[in-house]
Amino acid sequence: MRTNTALLGRTLRLAPLVAAAVLTLPACGATSGDGTPDPSAAPAPSSSGGAGAATADQRGSGADAEATSAEGPLAGTTVVIDPGHNGGNADAAGKISELVDAGHGHKACDTVGAESADGYTEHAFNWDVSERLRDSLEDEGAEVVLTREDDKGVGPCITERAEIGNEARADAAISIHADGGPSSGRGFHVIRPGELDGYTDDIAEPSHRLALDVRAEFEEGTGQQRADYIAEEGLDERTDLGGLNLSDVPKVFLEAGNMSNRADAADLADPEWRETAAESVAAGISRFLQRGQKD
């Protein structure tokens, strides 16, 4: 297990910003070196500088932010939400293509993300659901940290996305995505870290429990089917994603649907469906956290 960096100061609620619609190329449908679809949105470079580096202030900490609730079933817990990709990535190819250490080798700092046939971008979906998810979790008393402050920036790199969760000593972390798979494929899946010595050996098991809870609540709440083109029974185990490999806290990726599939894309573009999706993810995280509090 790697040593955690110093605990970040408590981050307050980020002000909602309008998601930017930018034409992008699919990234969650991109393949890794072994031909496996790669949904990872690269975390930002570390605080030493580099593409997409973000400070605590840039992530929304400020005097005018609303304080999170001190009451509720999740009071005393911290959740990090990582909205995959970013709205400015498409215009910053040089920056996001810089290689970073992903724990199993090197990968691009970040990627652009997928896009539906109607032009709805994954980064906009990720940001919208993450804001809604933040609100749901804060209503239950959790302290919530987002890895980016809006949908207009670049990155951060996969390394910094993981580092933010580690510095916050999050009780749970989740990266929100939508896939860019084959157009014939439908459904959602949850990605958990496989066991990687020196990296995820200490979080693999709790991350598995988090994945099961998120899968159960998301499936029940949204009615979305488990993916029929990837993963098994809506669960996938990966050791090639830097956002998971570099995490020292329980963490999963949610691929909420396939943007290349018209039926899935119609759901993803529906604000009411996104609200239900966010509430369902919140229920899964809450289930995981409250079980941990009883143990």
Side-chain angles (χ1 to χ4, degrees), residues 43-65:
S46 67
S47 55
S48 60
T55 66
D57 285 344
Q58 290 173 327
R59 289 194 295 273
S61 162
D64 58 347

Side-chain angles (χ1 to χ4, degrees), residues 23-274:
L23 279 177
T24 61
L25 300 175
C28 278
T31 57
S32 60
D34 60 1
T36 306
D38 183 358
S40 86
S46 67
S47 55
S48 60
T55 66
D57 285 344
Q58 290 173 327
R59 289 194 295 273
S61 162
D64 58 347
E66 295 181 28
T68 58
S69 172
E71 300 179 354
L74 299 185
T77 66
T78 299
V79 179
V80 168
I81 303 172
D82 174 30
H85 313 292
N86 207 332
N89 285 5
D91 295 324
K95 290 183 179 181
I96 66 170
S97 64
E98 292 177 0
L99 296 181
V100 297
D101 185 357
H104 66 292
H106 288 78
K107 275 197 168 183
C109 159
D110 204 352
T111 51
V112 174
E115 182 178 341
S116 73
D118 293 330
Y120 185 47
T121 58
E122 182 195 351
H123 63 79
F125 169 82
N126 299 341
W127 176 248
D128 182 86
V129 170
S130 293
E131 284 195 299
R132 296 171 188 270
L133 175 56
R134 175 202 60 198
D135 292 346
S136 291
L137 290 170
E138 286 184 342
D139 285 345
E140 293 191 60
E143 179 177 355
V144 179
V145 177
L146 293 172
T147 61
R148 55 185 174 97
E149 67 170 353
D150 55 35
D151 195 42
K152 299 177 181 178
V154 176
C157 293
I158 51 177
T159 48
E160 188 176 350
R161 291 177 191 259
E163 183 181 13
I164 291 167
N166 297 342
E167 290 182 336
R169 297 180 185 174
D171 297 287
I174 187 166
S175 190
I176 302 297
H177 288 265
D179 204 9
S183 60
S184 59
R186 287 203 64 182
F188 80 97
H189 65 286
V190 182
I191 305 172
R192 63 185 177 95
E195 193 164 322
L196 195 62
D197 287 346
Y199 288 91
T200 61
D201 42 340
D202 56 338
I203 67 159
E205 182 53 37
S207 296
H208 186 197
R209 295 197 301 271
L210 175 60
L212 290 172
D213 287 337
V214 170
R215 182 187 66 173
E217 295 292 345
F218 189 82
E219 182 175 39
E220 180 177 350
T222 65
Q224 175 74 305
Q225 70 179 56
R226 297 175 183 180
D228 58 13
Y229 65 97
I230 193 172
E232 293 183 9
E233 296 298 323
L235 289 179
D236 200 3
E237 179 181 304
R238 301 278 292 272
T239 58
D240 63 316
L241 300 179
L244 296 179
N245 292 346
L246 301 176
S247 179
D248 287 333
V249 302
K251 184 175 182 179
V252 298
F253 277 46
L254 170 67
E255 295 284 355
N258 180 12
M259 299 201 89
S260 300
N261 179 277
R262 288 195 174 275
D264 275 6
D267 285 337
L268 299 171
D270 180 356
E272 292 186 6
W273 190 91
R274 295 198 299 270

